[in-house]
């Protein structure tokens, strides 16, 4: 087993990133060890915390971070600022100052290379559309770039590159993990609101929702394409799930549900079995 290289891959998904924390708690409790961490968007944020402190204490600190998180900490809406954005044609609705302040206050690392486990943050090159992996340099700027939802937040310039949300190029970067030499991949998805009664309202909420749906469909395709190149184990997403990617009021419930459901997934052989969980496939619990 010495030649097995295990990657933890964390998908994007807005406020549903809380689900990943519960999943990580169960995986750590089971004693699962990882050799590298790859994350996109909110998955990059959770991945940075975990890569810095890949143990029960670190995951608990991440859980405390999420419990204190409110929508305004990420999306500081202001009518006057939004109007100015439109009038000045600045290309994004919101400033990233709140998110930047949040990272500066709460991130356990300054540099990406300061993590205990190798960390790879997925971003997208705004000019070429190419996937850009960041594995060193300023962690705050890299995470701002990976979470820069198009038209919502500004792009982040790192060197000569203008970078945006990693989810545009690869929200569930299994291919990145495989290209980095992983032979075993444990994917921690956020899932999607399969039991939501209606699409979310508002431009930002709808943008997040759309990106999340795209990432879940991409995840299914990546599993099918890469199944012969690595052993891929996808933690089953929560189902039914009525929380949207823009809802920060259900954090505790989501973490607890994800912890229990992941424990069950492990007991049923999830870390041995490969394939696509039924709860990841496109479905709904609503009758119209």
């Amino acid at each position: 087993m010495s030649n097995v290289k295990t990657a933890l891959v964390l998908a994007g998904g807005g406020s549903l990133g809380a689900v990943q924390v519960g999943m990580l708690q169960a995986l750590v409790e089971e004693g699962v060890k990882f050799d590298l961490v790859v994350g996109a968007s909110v998955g990059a944020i959770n991945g940075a915390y975990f890569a810095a402190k890949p143990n029960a204490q670190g995951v608990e600190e991440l859980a405390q971070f999420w419990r204190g998180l409110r929508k305004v900490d990420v999306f500081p809406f202001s009518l006057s600022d939004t109007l100015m954005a439109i009038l000045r044609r600045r290309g994004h609705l919101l400033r990233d100052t709140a998110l930047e302040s949040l990272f500066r206050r709460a991130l356990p690392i300054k540099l990406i290379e300061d993590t205990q486990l190798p960390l790879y943050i997925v971003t997208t090159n705004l000019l070429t559309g190419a996937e850009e992996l960041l594995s060193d340099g300023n962690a705050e700027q890299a995470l701002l770039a990976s979470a820069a939802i198009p038209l919502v937040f500004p792009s982040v310039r790192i060197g000569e590159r203008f970078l945006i949300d990693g989810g545009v190029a690869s929200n569930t970067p299994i291919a990145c993990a495989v290209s980095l030499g992983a032979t075993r991949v444990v994917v921690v998805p956020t899932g999607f609101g399969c039991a939501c009664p209606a699409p979310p309202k508002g431009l930002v909420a709808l943008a997040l929702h759309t990106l999340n749906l795209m990432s879940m469909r991409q995840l299914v395709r990546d599993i099918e394409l890469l199944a012969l190149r690595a052993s891929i184990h996808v933690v089953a997403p929560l189902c039914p799930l009525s929380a949207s990617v823009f809802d920060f009021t259900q954090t505790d419930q989501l973490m607890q549900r994800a912890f229990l459901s992941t424990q069950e997934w492990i007991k049923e052989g999830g870390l041995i079995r490969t394939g696509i969980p039924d709860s990841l496939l496109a479905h709904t619990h609503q009758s119209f």
Side-chain angles (χ1 to χ4, degrees), residues 12-268:
S15 62
L16 296 183
V19 171
Q20 295 177 328
V21 182
M23 292 175 171
L24 288 172
Q25 287 173 324
L27 290 170
V28 168
E29 184 181 89
E30 182 64 17
V32 182
K33 301 297 183 183
F34 300 99
D35 298 298
L36 68 151
V37 178
V38 184
S41 199
V42 73
I45 298 169
N46 285 337
Y49 267 82
F50 184 77
K53 297 182 178 180
N55 51 45
Q57 180 183 342
V59 178
E60 178 53 34
E61 289 176 10
L62 178 58
Q64 290 296 339
F65 164 77
W66 272 93
R67 290 187 185 105
L69 203 57
R70 300 293 179 266
K71 187 185 298 184
V72 69
D73 295 322
V74 183
F75 304 105
F77 286 104
S78 162
L79 180 58
S80 59
D81 187 52
T82 301
L83 287 173
M84 289 302 293
I86 295 171
L87 291 173
R88 292 181 177 178
R89 302 177 181 178
R90 72 183 183 196
H92 55 274
L93 288 174
L94 304 177
R95 301 179 188 276
D96 59 5
T97 48
L99 200 55
E100 184 176 20
S101 174
L102 182 68
F103 290 159
R104 188 166 298 147
R105 185 174 68 250
L107 266 183
I109 53 169
K110 297 294 184 184
L111 300 174
I112 301 172
E113 59 266 36
D114 288 343
T115 54
Q116 289 189 39
L117 295 177
L119 171 65
Y120 299 87
I121 295 173
V122 183
T123 68
T124 302
N125 189 307
L126 181 57
L127 298 180
T128 67
E131 182 179 88
E132 300 273 4
L133 271 183
L134 305 178
S135 57
D136 57 30
N138 187 287
E140 177 188 308
Q141 290 300 301
L143 293 177
L144 282 174
S146 190
I149 305 163
L151 304 182
V152 178
F153 290 123
S155 62
V156 176
R157 185 170 183 173
I158 297 179
E160 297 302 312
R161 299 170 294 181
F162 294 89
L163 304 176
I164 58 171
D165 197 317
V168 175
S170 182
N171 211 320
T172 53
I174 298 175
C176 293
V178 174
S179 69
L180 291 165
T183 56
R184 179 171 178 254
V185 179
V186 178
V187 183
V188 181
T190 53
F192 61 99
C194 55
C196 287
K201 296 180 179 179
L203 290 175
V204 176
L206 195 56
L208 269 171
H209 175 75
T210 304
L211 270 177
N212 188 51
L213 289 180
M214 183 176 69
S215 76
M216 294 304 106
R217 301 288 67 76
Q218 182 179 322
L219 173 55
V220 171
R221 291 193 300 271
D222 285 353
I223 295 168
E224 295 170 340
L225 288 170
L226 298 164
L228 296 179
R229 295 182 58 190
S231 177
I232 303 172
H233 310 274
V234 185
V235 180
L238 295 180
C239 181
L241 181 60
S242 59
S244 78
V245 293
F246 203 56
D247 182 359
F248 287 84
T249 66
Q250 300 187 47
T251 296
D252 266 320
Q253 301 96 305
L254 291 175
M255 288 193 295
Q256 182 63 17
R257 279 187 65 194
F259 173 71
L260 295 174
S261 69
T262 304
Q263 281 187 320
E264 189 63 27
W265 175 81
I266 292 171
K267 288 178 184 176
E268 292 176 353

